[in-house]
Amino acid sequence: MAVRVIIEKCIGCGKCLKNCPFDAITMENKIAVIGDACTSCGSCLDSCPKDAIEQEATNQEAKDLSMYQGVWVFAEQREGKIMPVVVELLGEGKKLAAEIGTELCAVVCGSQNENLAAELFAYGAEKVYLADAPELEKYTTDAYTKVINAAIIQYKPEIILFGATHIGRDLAPCLAVKANTGLTADCTKLEIDPDDHKIMQTRPAFGGNLMATIVCPNNRPQMSTVRPGVMDKAEYQPNRKGEVIRLACSFEAGEIRTKVLEVVKTMAETISLTDAEIIVSGGMGLGKQEGFDLLKQLADKLGGNVGASRACVDAGWIDHCCQVGQTGTTVKPKIYFACGISGAIQHIAGMQDSDLIIAINKNENAPIFEVADFGIVGDLYQVIPAVMEALDKIG
Ligand code: FAD
Ligand code: SF4
Ligand code: SF4
């Protein structure tokens, strides 16, 4: 979309200047002039009392949309390992690609990472765009943006999906700005219109009180970051083959403005609730921080991880990386224990897809029992030791 001033109508009042968040409008000879910084956001349109600003799709842009093909997944790797969310994105990307009859591709950056292509094929990618350079071993915004942006310009994907990880949330906006397109962050659902190929990107808005569905009608690629743990994983078929396309990677001195000196792993990176098969979560019913020691004992016995409600995180009893729910991690374990958790909607949003939910709560009317497969009404400090004793007996 191009935004332009209709010179004949402009009276030079200057109202549009204040409404441009990008300082893209200047006054020249008492006429508003829109400069290169304009992102076509449209904010200035309504501010003009004379309807002197208009937004229109150019023929060139309309023609360009049809040139964009393929669903791309950004295959984020760390230390040479594909992040779990990538497998979920490939699962979702495959569905989108099938609906519009296009191919599913992955784009991966790293150093000596050729082996990752086979894994990405096994998870359903038909093509892998591979960027292999020492500068790409560890993520930097500049290096990854340069390489992937060049690939977008050359190969013109129609859709690009990123995991809503720290890296995905950093990289995707940079690429969206360069491609002059839209980005919907933290999506929890994606659907596609098979006729016009628009993806309907749904995400929580206003603190989760409503779900907003966002489309990117006039620009390509359509870009989304997707919450880890929400989409179904792609099926692994080890013999699947595909095409590797190598991307050019050359960097000039000073072009990469950051240098990674050391990678320090936070607790969040050592504990992955997204992949856990068993989670023992605790809420305010624990009564004190030390209550998590008991949950840890049960989790260790079962080979699981400890989770928590937000109230416990807010109370400073446990790190945010353990929070399950709408503003924490979305989990889908085989067994989810909710111990002393009331079952607020924001907590349930993050765990309701667990295969089996076991709730322990001393209030028989607690909402958590509505989503639980098994409910135990009682004091968790009596129930959990009894459960552990029973587990010991069966070995
Ligand atoms: P409570 O609601 O206080 O429940 C404690 C429960 O423990 C009660 O049901 C009680 O009966 C039971 N109990 C007490 N003693 C015992 C005992 N000895 N044995 C057994 N049971 C006992 N919450 C999340 O969890 N995750 C989120 O991501 C999240 N995001 C949010 C986002 C927004 C925008 C907002 C507004 C809220 C969010 N919340 C989230 C907070 C949520 O609304 C609840 O406040 C929170 O989940 C309550 O935590 P809780 O169940 O531990 O505590
Ligand atoms: Fe500024 Fe947006 Fe108007 Fe462009 S469309 S001039 S960026 S307000
Ligand atoms: Fe011209 Fe309208 Fe801007 Fe006023 S608000 S300077 S009339 S374009």
Side-chain angles (χ1 to χ4, degrees), residues 280-286 295 298 337-341 358-360 380 384:
V280 182
S281 269
M284 291 309 277
L286 289 171
L295 301 195
L298 176 58
F337 285 88
C339 312
I341 293 177
I358 302 173
I360 305 168
L380 64 92
I384 294 177

Side-chain angles (χ1 to χ4, degrees), residues 42-238:
S43 299
C44 55
L45 267 70
D46 290 341
S47 68
C48 176
K50 295 290 173 189
D51 288 335
I53 309 179
E54 66 175 8
Q55 195 168 34
E56 56 178 17
T58 63
N59 289 341
Q60 181 60 37
E61 283 163 337
K63 195 178 99 197
D64 282 345
L65 291 195
S66 65
M67 293 162 69
Y68 289 81
Q69 304 280 333
V71 176
W72 282 20
V73 164
F74 169 60
E76 181 182 336
Q77 60 82 22
R78 292 191 198 178
E79 295 176 349
K81 290 201 184 79
I82 295 290
M83 295 290 283
V85 69
V86 174
V87 180
E88 295 163 14
L89 295 179
L90 287 167
E92 189 63 20
K94 193 178 174 111
K95 285 186 218 157
L96 298 176
E99 284 205 50
I100 57 172
T102 190
E103 61 190 3
L104 176 65
C105 310
V107 56
V108 61
C109 299
S111 176
Q112 301 186 336
N113 56 351
E114 211 165 332
N115 58 322
L116 296 181
E119 194 178 342
L120 294 165
F121 294 140
Y123 281 116
E126 291 156 70
K127 274 186 192 157
V128 171
Y129 293 93
L130 187 88
D132 184 349
E135 294 89 341
L136 298 169
E137 184 188 350
K138 295 198 171 68
Y139 175 76
T140 60
T141 311
D142 289 336
Y144 273 49
T145 302
K146 179 178 181 188
V147 169
I148 300 177
N149 181 49
I152 292 171
I153 293 168
Q154 188 174 355
Y155 297 104
K156 296 188 172 37
E158 193 169 11
I159 294 168
I160 314 182
L161 307 179
F162 302 80
T165 60
H166 291 298
I167 288 178
R169 285 171 202 231
D170 182 71
L171 176 65
C174 293
L175 290 168
V177 168
K178 293 225 176 266
N180 194 23
T181 190
L183 166 71
T184 306
D186 217 16
C187 297
T188 52
K189 188 170 156 196
L190 298 174
E191 289 168 302
I192 196 154
D193 184 325
D195 296 327
D196 61 14
H197 295 200
K198 276 188 212 126
I199 37 173
M200 275 124 348
Q201 305 159 96
T202 302
R203 54 151 299 154
F206 297 104
N209 290 317
L210 61 85
M211 300 303 280
T213 299
I214 296 160
V215 292
C216 175
N218 303 312
N219 298 66
R220 294 290 180 272
Q222 303 172 83
M223 290 191 184
S224 323
T225 65
V226 177
R227 234 176 193 233
V230 174
M231 307 296 180
D232 291 331
K233 288 192 162 109
E235 200 188 322
Y236 184 76
Q237 288 181 11

Side-chain angles (χ1 to χ4, degrees), residues 224-296:
S224 323
T225 65
V226 177
R227 234 176 193 233
V230 174
M231 307 296 180
D232 291 331
K233 288 192 162 109
E235 200 188 322
Y236 184 76
Q237 288 181 11
N239 298 324
R240 217 156 18 191
K241 297 269 178 285
E243 185 187 352
V244 175
I245 297 167
R246 288 186 173 274
L247 300 177
C249 321
S250 62
F251 302 96
E252 308 206 344
E255 205 174 7
I256 304 171
R257 291 168 295 174
T258 45
K259 192 171 174 190
V260 181
L261 300 178
E262 191 189 356
V263 177
V264 181
K265 287 194 181 172
T266 63
M267 212 172 147
E269 283 164 307
T270 48
I271 298 173
S272 171
L273 284 183
T274 319
D275 300 330
E277 298 211 327
I278 297 179
I279 296 174
V280 182
S281 269
M284 291 309 277
L286 289 171
K288 52 187 181 222
Q289 183 171 12
E290 293 71 29
F292 278 103
D293 298 341
L294 181 65
L295 301 195
K296 178 92 174 60

Side-chain angles (χ1 to χ4, degrees), residues 4-7 9-19 25-27 30-34 44-54:
R4 71 176 195 106
V5 173
I6 306 164
I7 297 170
K9 288 189 179 180
C10 176
I11 55 165
C13 69
K15 287 191 175 146
C16 53
L17 270 72
K18 294 185 207 112
N19 278 280
I25 312 178
T26 50
M27 297 298 288
K30 294 193 180 161
I31 299 285
V33 175
I34 297 181
C44 55
L45 267 70
D46 290 341
S47 68
C48 176
K50 295 290 173 189
D51 288 335
I53 309 179
E54 66 175 8

